[in-house]
Amino acid sequence: MEQKQCSCCKSHQGTSGGYSEVIRSFERKPGNLIPALHAVQAAAGYLSEEAMLEVAEWLNVPVSDVYGTATFYTLFATKPKGKYIVRLCDSPPCHIEGSNTIMAAITEELGIKPGETTEDGNFTFEIVSCLGLCGVAPAIMVNEDVYGNLSPEMIGDIFLKYRKKES
Amino acid sequence: MPFYRAHVLVCNGTPCILKGSRAVQTALVDEIKKKGLENEIKVVETGCLGISEVGPVMVVYPEGITYCGVTVNDVPTIVEEHLLKGRVVERLVYKERTASHVSAAAASRSREQRVVLKNVGSIDPTSIEEYIAVGGYEAMGKALTQMTPLEVIKAVKDSGLRGRGGAAFPTGLKWELTADAPGENKTIVCNADEGEPGNFKDRLILEGDPHSIVEAMIIAGYAIGANKGYVYIRGEYHQSVSHLERAIAVAREMELLGEDILGSRFNFDIEVFKGAGAYICGEETALLESLEGTRGESRMKPPYPPTSGLHGQPTVINNVETLANIPQIIANGAEWFASIGTEKSKGTKIFSPCGDVLYPGVYEVPFGTTMREVIYEMAGGIKSGKDLKAVLIGGPSGICISKEDLDRQFAFEDLPPGAGALIVIDEDKCIVDIMQNCAKFFLHESCGQCVPCREGTKRLYELFTWWQGGAGSPGDLALAQSLGDVMSVSAKCGLGQFAATAFRTSLPLFEEEYRAHVVDRVCPSGVCKMNNGCESEVV
Ligand code: SF4
Ligand code: FES
């Protein structure tokens, strides 16, 4: 985090965009850190610096630990992400079944490389480890939706569905 | 409870969902309402029925007619003809011998022995009544009212059950150690952080029979003297989370969880804890760190969790499949369980063949079954009639074997099954490419705490990438081998210790192929680009 701020600083309050209540719904104990981060991310889309400061203060956890934890786990985002997160598995079973070709198809369809977000803010593309969908490899998830037994030709149709929703 | 004259089970296993079973289910519910049959016919969503290659699949009871390949357009016909007029829609009926692949699926089912998966696909996982109707919670009742905690532990010990998550530690002994350890707040944790590539069995149990896990955890809690249980479950397993949370809520309502369960003075409750995407949290001490709210970094062992686990208190951590065996052992007795399997490996094991097999899926077989039976007879053999090259048993952290070993038996005394993943690789694939992909996985998933693993996974990945690009040098094989040896003995936890296992075990099997890459700089299968390291990915 670029900006230095002590955890007792109250100046960040009031800018919270709906997550303060969420944080306050948790019992104030350090063990609630991961559930609280899940909840904040669900409410605000990502874990902003302000949100992490507030979580730290509420749960009585050092800010450095909150940041350390938030950046350790791949499901947590400390920067805003697209509305739809596209997760492509590239672990061995999917790799063997051609996840490379799916990666190329998604890159072409969305015009972004893994790790990037489309300009309209709709899609973020990520390469991840096994999703437990190896029985239908190669597989992707778009938010909570699961797609498997993929071939590159199927990618266009999948995204059409989400594009329609957004237009 | 209203009385229904018919039940329609709609398969909601992942493969069927992919083929559109959700839409079929919605259409079915609508159509039944339209015809005013909603008080006569119940639509039930169920776990994988095991014939997903012909999905979406549904079964109509009491007749037990199975329809396969059902589309939304077929729904009105099924409702009108079968449910209303009682005439079976022949063209959609699943007939075992209509197509070769269907008969293969049927044959494989008949070889299966379902202990853990006995309810998956035959009951509605969201209904506690159905679970109870097939004998659910009886084992819990027996344990709590007729057995002492010591007797429960003894039964589990006598059954010979060993952990199904890969490490194969005797479950009864683990319980005993925890029960005997001093501590006020003992805990039972169900490890549902299934993350090893190639494993997708726990998901099936969690989605298809969540009450079996709730019941098992109550029994375990009673045995070891714990009043609190956690299920640590992958954040990506949305449906598993929701089925389990629902099961827990209903069990609470029916007072099967809570205080003074069945008048036994035993209190117990379960909480679902969602992981946040870290493979390392499948390692038990990293999982505990995560449960305590920190980065999932493995702890120094000993002490082991049975003496010092969650918040320093004695803790049992059991895999989902291990726990799913417990109610059966208590209900049917240790002897019954010990009669399944081999001399030293008791019970059944779930395997999840995937990769280049015809029918990837989840199959439960008794220990002693050979790899050939699982891969060729159950999973249909290698796709497109190709030949088998290698299998990674248990996943990337398991051992690599070639077709020479096909007739070995899965058993702890012969071929240890790991967690049950079988990543099957056909003759067209390149071993270096596979190892590079495995190395990439470990590089990404290493928690970074200790040097042998943090640096070792990176160096291995680099070496394999160079070989793929034709930039290897003659001493590299020995270098990679000694690096792997060092990692296996000096890394702090299992991740680093086993990160090079697949490579180390594949080297003697495919030495020629490795040499071709490293020394001659050619890829015999034509997979690697050999472009002198250009275009290789930078990490
Ligand atoms: S072996 Fe790897 S995962 Fe385990 S503690 Fe060391 S760095 Fe972390
Ligand atoms: S390897 Fe891709 S989902 Fe498991």
Side-chain angles (χ1 to χ4, degrees):
Chain A
M1 287 188 283
E2 324 76 77
Q3 215 183 328
K4 299 270 177 310
Q5 213 169 21
C6 65
S7 66
C8 59
C9 173
K10 299 281 184 281
S11 65
H12 57 273
Q13 285 191 352
T15 58
S16 43
Y19 56 73
S20 288
E21 298 255 307
V22 172
I23 296 173
R24 269 150 231 277
S25 69
F26 283 91
E27 194 192 327
R28 301 184 79 161
K29 58 171 192 191
N32 274 337
L33 179 54
I34 290 173
L37 293 179
H38 269 305
V40 172
Q41 183 158 307
Y46 77 110
L47 304 171
S48 62
E49 185 173 331
E50 292 76 23
M52 284 189 276
L53 286 167
E54 213 169 310
V55 170
E57 192 178 313
W58 182 255
L59 298 180
N60 203 10
V61 178
V63 185
S64 57
D65 284 2
V66 174
Y67 184 68
T69 304
T71 49
F72 183 84
Y73 296 95
T74 53
L75 289 183
F76 291 141
T78 51
K79 295 208 178 72
K81 284 195 184 176
K83 189 157 178 200
Y84 298 101
I85 301 181
V86 184
R87 297 193 165 91
L88 167 74
C89 166
D90 187 35
S91 289
C94 285
H95 178 76
I96 296 173
E97 298 309 302
S99 56
N100 285 348
T101 61
I102 308 300
M103 180 173 357
I106 297 178
T107 305
E108 193 180 312
E109 171 72 29
L110 296 180
I112 50 170
K113 289 205 275 304
E116 296 178 347
T117 301
T118 52
E119 255 171 43
D120 58 10
N122 277 342
F123 298 99
T124 297
F125 180 24
E126 294 178 349
I127 306 287
V128 299
S129 298
C130 181
L131 294 164
L133 299 166
C134 337
V136 292
I140 65 169
M141 284 178 81
V142 180
N143 288 354
E144 297 190 7
D145 303 338
V146 167
Y147 301 91
N149 290 327
L150 293 172
S151 61
E153 305 78 58
M154 293 158 74
I155 296 300
D157 281 349
I158 291 174
F159 285 104
L160 196 62
K161 216 169 86 184
Y162 297 100
R163 289 191 202 282
K164 269 195 194 145
K165 262 195 227 167
E166 291 315 308
S167 59
Chain B
M1 234 163 66
F3 178 75
Y4 296 101
R5 68 171 166 85
H7 285 75
V8 187
L9 267 57
V10 182
C11 173
N12 256 296
T14 315
C16 278
I17 289 185
L18 295 174
K19 288 182 176 158
S21 63
R22 284 270 161 81
V24 170
Q25 187 178 334
T26 319
L28 187 65
V29 171
D30 291 349
E31 190 67 26
I32 288 176
K33 273 212 195 103
K34 239 187 0 211
K35 296 271 189 287
L37 298 172
E38 68 265 36
N39 293 325
E40 293 172 44
I41 292 162
K42 190 174 176 204
V43 177
V44 171
E45 114 182 21
T46 173
C48 185
L49 292 161
I51 45 171
S52 49
E53 58 281 356
V54 292
V57 180
M58 62 170 75
V59 189
V60 184
Y61 284 108
E63 301 95 319
I65 301 284
T66 305
Y67 290 121
C68 60
V70 181
T71 66
V72 172
N73 300 336
D74 297 326
V75 168
T77 322
I78 294 179
V79 174
E80 173 82 26
E81 287 294 308
H82 190 154
L83 301 179
L84 204 60
K85 300 179 182 157
R87 294 196 292 239
V88 174
V89 186
E90 285 297 335
R91 83 184 153 88
L92 294 169
V93 172
Y94 167 76
K95 295 185 197 83
E96 288 186 11
R97 268 165 217 87
T98 47
S100 63
H101 66 279
V102 176
S103 68
S108 75
R109 291 300 137 192
S110 65
R111 298 193 71 94
E112 266 198 278
Q113 180 167 5
R114 289 192 157 203
V115 172
V116 172
L117 299 178
K118 104 178 157 44
N119 295 332
V120 173
S122 60
I123 63 166
D124 175 0
T126 61
S127 154
I128 195 169
E129 288 85 6
E130 293 202 13
Y131 181 69
I132 291 174
V134 294
Y137 289 108
E138 265 172 32
M140 180 199 85
K142 182 173 168 190
L144 262 51
T145 59
Q146 296 166 29
M147 295 168 84
T148 64
L150 276 182
E151 283 167 349
V152 175
I153 292 179
K154 181 162 186 310
V156 176
K157 273 179 93 176
D158 291 348
S159 74
L161 176 67
R162 292 167 67 167
R164 302 293 196 241
F169 192 83
T171 308
L173 181 59
K174 196 186 258 185
W175 287 19
E176 189 177 59
L177 290 170
T178 313
D180 289 348
E184 288 295 300
N185 293 307
K186 298 183 183 174
T187 316
I188 159 91
V189 178
C190 170
N191 184 348
D193 194 46
E194 182 169 64
E196 178 86 24
N199 284 298
F200 42 100
K201 64 179 173 74
D202 293 345
R203 174 183 218 133
L204 190 69
I205 301 171
L206 294 163
E207 289 177 9
D209 196 13
H211 280 288
S212 68
I213 300 302
V214 174
E215 181 175 10
M217 288 180 73
I218 301 172
I219 297 172
Y222 175 72
I224 64 165
N227 303 110
K228 180 86 201 193
Y230 289 95
V231 184
Y232 188 101
I233 194 165
R234 282 193 74 169
E236 292 91 340
Y237 278 18
H238 300 287
Q239 194 171 10
S240 308
V241 171
S242 74
H243 277 191
L244 200 63
E245 279 181 339
R246 186 153 161 190
I248 292 170
V250 179
R252 239 181 242 142
E253 259 166 47
M254 297 187 64
E255 296 179 1
L256 297 170
L257 282 173
E259 292 189 358
D260 193 19
I261 301 170
L262 303 181
S264 64
R265 294 211 203 117
F266 171 62
N267 308 332
F268 191 72
D269 208 355
I270 304 178
E271 208 175 292
V272 173
F273 191 97
K274 256 170 53 182
Y279 164 73
I280 182 63
C281 291
E283 197 279 335
E284 51 183 22
T285 57
L287 183 153
L288 293 173
E289 286 293 316
S290 187
L291 260 184
E292 290 179 13
T294 60
R295 295 161 67 95
E297 291 176 347
S298 316
R299 296 176 181 170
M300 214 47 146
K301 289 189 281 191
Y304 290 92
T307 45
S308 174
L310 191 65
H311 301 296
Q313 294 288 316
T315 305
V316 161
I317 302 165
N318 282 146
N319 170 267
V320 173
E321 184 186 349
T322 315
L323 282 172
N325 277 294
I326 298 292
Q328 309 273 339
I329 291 174
I330 300 299
N332 303 318
E335 242 171 69
W336 163 81
F337 188 82
S339 71
I340 308 170
T342 68
E343 172 89 42
K344 294 205 178 104
S345 309
K346 303 302 186 191
T348 60
K349 178 77 195 86
I350 305 180
F351 287 94
S352 51
C354 60
D356 292 327
V357 287
L358 203 48
Y359 311 124
V362 173
Y363 304 90
E364 181 176 358
V365 294
F367 275 107
T369 304
T370 66
M371 181 146 68
R372 184 186 299 281
E373 286 172 301
V374 177
I375 293 180
Y376 281 89
E377 290 175 28
M378 312 186 82
I382 313 300
K383 266 195 232 171
S384 339
K386 296 216 177 84
D387 205 2
L388 174 70
K389 175 170 187 161
V391 183
L392 296 180
I393 299 180
S397 67
I399 59 168
C400 178
I401 55 123
S402 69
K403 58 181 173 188
E404 308 295 310
D405 287 317
L406 268 178
D407 290 308
R408 286 176 65 187
Q409 295 182 332
F410 284 116
F412 301 119
E413 62 271 29
D414 189 355
L415 201 55
L422 299 175
I423 303 179
V424 178
I425 298 159
D426 77 23
E427 53 184 339
D428 290 353
K429 305 283 162 18
C430 164
I431 196 76
V432 177
D433 179 60
I434 308 251
M435 291 304 149
Q436 193 253 10
N437 186 256
C438 291
K440 189 174 7 168
F441 170 75
F442 289 116
L443 170 62
H444 183 250
E445 298 297 340
S446 166
C447 82
Q449 223 190 144
C450 72
V451 178
C453 170
R454 184 183 65 230
E455 301 305 318
T457 52
K458 182 150 187 145
R459 292 291 161 253
L460 273 183
Y461 174 74
E462 269 175 11
L463 280 171
F464 297 150
T465 309
W466 287 339
W467 301 350
Q468 280 200 295
S473 35
D476 279 1
L477 276 182
L479 182 67
Q481 194 170 20
S482 74
L483 178 57
D485 293 348
V486 169
M487 287 166 71
S488 74
V489 292
S490 61
K492 185 172 169 185
C493 82
L495 190 150
Q497 287 159 10
F498 297 114
T501 306
F503 165 68
R504 293 163 77 220
T505 47
S506 70
L507 188 54
L509 303 174
F510 303 102
E511 189 160 351
E512 239 171 76
E513 196 176 334
Y514 279 112
R515 276 195 192 290
H517 282 84
V518 178
V519 183
D520 309 330
R521 302 186 173 184
V522 288
C523 174
S525 18
V527 172
C528 306
K529 289 207 186 96
M530 295 294 166
N531 51 4
N532 273 323
C534 308
E535 284 181 45
S536 63
E537 274 171 75
V538 184
V539 182

